[in-house]
Amino acid sequence: MGDVPRRWVPAAYAASGVRAVRVALVGAAGFYLFLYGFGSSVAATYALFSAVALAGLSRIPGTGPQRAATVLRLVPVCWLLVVVGTYLSVRTWSAVAGMLVIGFALAFAAVGGPGPAGAGPGLQLLYILPSFPPYDPHSLGVRLIGTTVGLALLVLAERHLFPEPAPPSYRELAARAAGTAADCARELAEPPYALSPPSADRVRAAGTGLRSLKVPEADRPAGPGVRDRALTHTGLAARTLLSRLSALHGPPDDTSEVLGGVARLAERTAADLRARPGRRTGRGTGSGSGDPYGELAAARARLAGRPAGPAAPAVLRRDAAALEVADAALTMATAASLAVGGRTAADRVRPGRFWYARTPAPLLWWHRIQGHAGRRSVFFQNAVRIGLALAAARLIAGLDTLPHGFWAMLATLSLTRTTVGETWGTIRVALAGTFAGALLTAGLLTLVGPHTAVYAVILPLWMLFAFTVGPVRGVGWAQGLFTVLVAMVFAQLAPATWRLAGVRMLDVLIGSLIGGVFGLLAWPRGAHDELGRAVAGLLRRAAEIVVATSASVASGGVRSDAAGGGPGYRSLRHALTMAESAYAQFQSEPARFGAAEPRPPGPDWQAALMAGHHTLWGSDRLTAPPGFPALDADPAEGLAGLGDRVAGRMLLVSAHLDPGGDTPGVPAPLRDPAYRGFAAEPPGAPRRYYAAVSWLDSLMTDLERVTAPEGGAP
């Protein structure tokens, strides 16, 4: 079924069908309990829409227990939204102002990770619901009771109905990668001193498994806290370690002690990651006898401090590669200790690349928010877009006393997309679906009339059908089926005629037009252009670090060991944050301007992100205290020239990614075949020279992957 669209494959309905059963059972149970059991239409409405909001409209990631825990944590937030929405509905201007502020805040909360991002649309709905007349603060208690019961039933349903097998956690994936690295290090220390094809396949599989797109959203360490940041750091260090090991070959000579230490430390790191949170199997960042971290750190120091002497350049290059392997293993172990132990392990961690280890949680949240509080952040752009669109919809609904204006706002919320092409393409399909649903609704209301028992019988079945088929068949089907669903709900709350279908059509038309207008006015090209600008800025910051680091290693000295790292580190980290958020949104958008065909071949954006990380890590390693002497004239001149050359290529690639009117083209290939600087062997060059050359060479490889044709680079 490789060429069969997903919407025609029966298996595609399985996941949405399970979700639909939960929504139908919870929504119908709460609605009927309050409407027919206690005679409260207000509580019934809030119980139903609480389930629809957080189980139907939201896309909270994870397994059932994970989603249940997320909903449980959101209960106080839902109460607050209902309370604020109820009191601000007293006047149109206060409701509009509240919609602007709350709408922006809930959308901007996506900076906190996949959980808040997935719950955002449902929380918006729970604020929209009480923000419309009638202004009735006396019913607030009933509204809160309905909301609470609906959420409680949803938690129980998510926790106990249709349990799902839990995928491996990110910690487990990182532990597997560390175990693979341990096996590879042992294999490289024995003849034939190279990885066998099965081992190379394991390395590729373990590294690929840690990529964010391969990890379920709920398990991605995307939060701003210490543990999530450290776990992200662990995964990146594990991928780097595997990459460095796969490139290592030749007799170990003086590096056998380092490889043995890497194997033992990687094995200990895997055990630590599999331990329960807060409990570790050993002192991963301590020192002394029997401590793998201390043993590897000492072995690395002995290898780095050994004079070059009469050693052949090939040996020095392998020693430099072994030092990079050791550094990646030490980084992985330190990050894993923070991921497992949290702030309790921070006292054993040197600041610098782990700047967040001792930072209080509120400051880490502030750092995340501050980093995205600007027009270049796609999270900020999305929040502005949805906040303005919802405020405009509420203003129009209030000034024109639009019947059922709630539906217009719901259409604005559900149909506004991140590109103008995607928004207008969605609107066309949604309006067609809504029109078909309105025709069906008019016929149903005409035939059934005031017989609410018929609606009561059909509603759960229709909910099951709508929430099963809609997510699979697309927005047109979803809007059409939901049109019939809300008509059956409101027909049980108050007498309804076929005119209700026309009102629904009008509301969706107005709401979708508002979404389309703000999709056009507020950053209409989505993340594509923003990604180019963000990655170009990242490479410019990286080029500055490359020049400064090369000059520092050549001239000698010592870098300040401040908490944020060396000069320029904070700017590079901020550029990485902006580029990674733009890349995440770019991955979720369809082809540019809503085209149905696949994306045309383009830059390898992830290779550019890896270049930024490699720049940061390599600079930190090469310039870390204590101080170091200056290189001799020939090695110093050669290294400075290499740094300038790599930085220049970074600037050319950055201009290619964010071109102006007369931007020069990127040379193909980036490496000049006649240039022998990377292979130079200046007399008397120390190990530190070869370590810096190895770092610069890896950055050139990253740049080649960025600009290589699709499929043309590994």
Side-chain angles (χ1 to χ4, degrees), residues 371-389:
H372 288 285
R375 63 188 184 90
R376 291 306 185 194
S377 167
V378 291
F379 290 113
F380 180 83
Q381 293 172 7
N382 290 340
V384 169
R385 184 186 296 112
I386 198 65
L388 290 174

Side-chain angles (χ1 to χ4, degrees), residues 535-536 538-539 601-612 649-650 652-654 656-657 666 670 699-710 713-714:
V535 172
L538 166 65
L539 292 178
D604 186 341
W605 300 110
Q606 194 163 39
L609 298 179
M610 291 302 294
R649 292 299 190 264
M650 284 183 165
L652 281 176
V653 174
S654 72
H656 170 70
L657 297 178
V666 176
L670 280 173
L699 291 178
M700 282 294 291
T701 301
D702 291 335
L703 294 177
E704 288 176 315
R705 292 176 57 196
V706 173
T707 57
E710 190 169 324

Side-chain angles (χ1 to χ4, degrees), residues 476-488:
W477 279 77
Q479 286 293 323
L481 295 172
F482 194 71
T483 297
V484 180
L485 189 153
V486 294
M488 286 192 285

